[in-house]
């Protein structure tokens, strides 16, 4: 691990660490040397075991927005200065536009948007008071850029996260604190497990339109971008988004299979002289 990507000596507050992307980030950040404070409303024992090193774990419901500042104060008091915040906790519900209720709209925004903002707000206040040139990383979504049917609240909540990211970048730059987003594409986790409808058909259709090997990503595939945005390597990068989607957003339509075959045969062996 070169110094630019090392987390040695850095304390990272990571939300949504009980499973999925958050659990994989916890393991990867710990291997890079981070001291971890893991947050989730679900039990964190499995992640703690996977990390295999001492880490602080907090059961906390981030939808309880009014208590976030006090919660962050407690983490800061117990763990010392915070160098990195990774806002990863999130929820998705699959509902047609006229099935969305004020309650389900607010539930999605409470975790994905409100908690992401108010956690970043309080963590940034501590970073400023502690003189830390910190890093804030928001786990957004490809859906912040391009919508998907049945997810109006989710799409909007993630688009808001991306403008929060830019807004915080504008205000925190003077303190040397960066704020960036990572936008995952289709990643193998349980986030869509309760979605109604033909999930198998939907996922098969999705796979066909992912240019990179036509595969979903793994939670571990997010680690590189998160490490880059959490460490010294990204000191002059702020207000931007790294998309980790296997190229899904790069392609309007999977038309490759409708093209004629290659004009000439491919070389049998890679040429060593190029
Ligand atoms: N999996 C994907 O394909 C995908 C795609 C784009 C974006 N994302 C984003 O990545 C992030 C992680 O998603 P995932 O796929 O790992 O999902 P997941 O459902 O596997 O994990 C989400 C974690 O967040 C926690 N969480 C949810 N609500 C919470 C609350 N109120 N308080 C505290 N913790 C809470 C859950 O308990 C869970 O451990 C989310 O922000 C999600 O929107 C995921």
């Amino acid at each position: 691990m070169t110094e630019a990507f090392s987390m040695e000596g850095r304390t990272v507050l990571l939300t949504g660490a009980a499973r999925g992307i958050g659990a994989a980030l916890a393991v990867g950040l710990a291997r890079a040397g981070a001291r971890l404070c893991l947050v989730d409303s679900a039990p964190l024992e499995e992640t703690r075991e996977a990390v295999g090193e001492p880490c602080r774990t907090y059961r906390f419901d981030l939808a309880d927005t009014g208590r976030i500042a006090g919660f962050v104060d407690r983490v800061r008091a117990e763990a010392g200065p915070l160098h990195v915040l990774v806002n990863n906790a999130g929820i998705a519900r699959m509902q047609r536009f006229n099935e969305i209720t004020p309650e389900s709209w607010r539930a999605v925004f409470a975790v994905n948007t409100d908690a992401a903002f108010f956690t970043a707000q309080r963590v940034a206040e501590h970073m400023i008071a502690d003189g830390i040139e910190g890093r804030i990383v928001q786990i957004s979504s490809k859906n912040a850029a391009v919508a998907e049917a049945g997810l109006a609240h989710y799409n909007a909540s993630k688009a808001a996260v991306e403008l929060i990211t830019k807004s915080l970048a504008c205000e925190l730059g003077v303190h040397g604190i960066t704020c960036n987003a990572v936008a995952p594409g289709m990643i193998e986790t349980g986030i869509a497990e309760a979605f109604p409808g033909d999930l198998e058909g939907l996922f098969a259709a999705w796979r066909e339109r992912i240019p990179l090997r036509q595969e979903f990503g793994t939670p571990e595939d997010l680690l590189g971008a998160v490490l880059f945005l959490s460490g010294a390597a990204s000191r002059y990068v702020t207000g931007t988004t790294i998309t980790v989607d296997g190229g899904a957003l790069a392609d309007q339509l999977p038309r490759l299979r409708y093209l004629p075959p290659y004009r000439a045969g491919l070389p049998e062996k890679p040429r060593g002289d190029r």
Side-chain angles (χ1 to χ4, degrees):
M1 184 71 60
T2 67
E3 209 177 301
F5 292 90
S6 169
M7 290 291 113
E8 217 59 61
R10 289 178 176 246
T11 301
V12 179
L13 176 56
L14 167 66
T15 72
R19 65 177 209 176
I21 292 170
L25 292 179
V27 173
L29 286 162
R31 293 216 174 117
R35 291 188 294 255
L36 292 176
C37 302
L38 307 177
V39 189
D40 209 294
S41 49
L44 283 151
E45 276 70 34
E46 263 185 45
T47 306
R48 186 204 288 276
E49 269 175 41
V51 166
E53 287 171 35
C55 54
R56 292 175 193 279
T57 55
Y58 297 89
R59 285 289 291 279
F60 181 75
D61 181 0
L62 288 156
D64 197 350
T65 318
R67 291 180 53 231
I68 287 177
F71 169 68
V72 172
D73 291 351
R74 186 186 144 207
V75 177
R76 162 63 187 85
E78 292 177 5
L82 303 171
H83 301 84
V84 181
L85 165 67
V86 182
N87 269 324
N88 165 75
I91 58 169
R93 296 199 182 163
M94 176 73 72
Q95 295 176 303
R96 285 178 184 266
F97 82 95
N98 60 337
E99 290 165 350
I100 293 174
T101 62
E103 289 70 31
S104 64
W105 181 273
R106 279 196 292 268
V108 170
F109 267 72
V111 186
N112 295 3
T113 314
D114 302 10
F117 177 74
F118 287 103
T119 309
Q121 178 193 62
R122 195 62 180 157
V123 168
E125 286 176 332
H126 280 290
M127 286 172 174
I128 293 166
D130 289 329
I132 302 283
E133 295 201 340
R135 301 275 185 270
I136 297 169
V137 182
Q138 314 273 18
I139 305 300
S140 165
S141 169
K142 63 174 174 37
N143 292 39
V146 181
E148 266 184 295
L151 292 167
H153 35 15
Y154 182 80
N155 300 332
S157 75
K158 292 295 188 177
V161 164
E162 299 234 347
L163 256 293
I164 288 170
T165 302
K166 291 184 197 298
S167 307
L168 291 178
C170 297
E171 292 199 42
L172 297 174
V174 70
H175 302 287
I177 299 169
T178 68
C179 185
N180 293 288
V182 173
M186 298 301 288
I187 310 295
E188 300 269 11
T189 72
I191 195 167
E193 64 197 0
F195 283 5
D198 174 15
L199 269 194
E200 218 172 292
L202 173 72
F203 288 163
W206 252 119
R207 280 192 177 85
E208 276 182 26
R209 59 173 313 165
I210 296 172
L212 203 51
R213 294 185 291 268
Q214 301 194 310
E215 278 174 7
F216 281 17
T218 66
E220 289 75 17
D221 285 326
L222 277 308
L223 182 61
V226 171
L227 272 179
F228 169 64
L229 294 175
S230 300
S234 59
R235 91 172 257 287
Y236 200 60
V237 178
T238 195
T240 196
T241 298
I242 298 179
T243 302
V244 183
D245 71 343
L249 292 191
D251 197 358
Q252 291 182 45
L253 186 81
R255 58 190 282 179
L256 198 59
R257 83 184 91 129
Y258 304 105
L259 301 184
Y262 285 110
R263 176 166 45 81
L266 297 170
E268 280 174 22
K269 284 186 199 158
R271 288 181 216 157
D273 58 349
R274 276 204 275 174

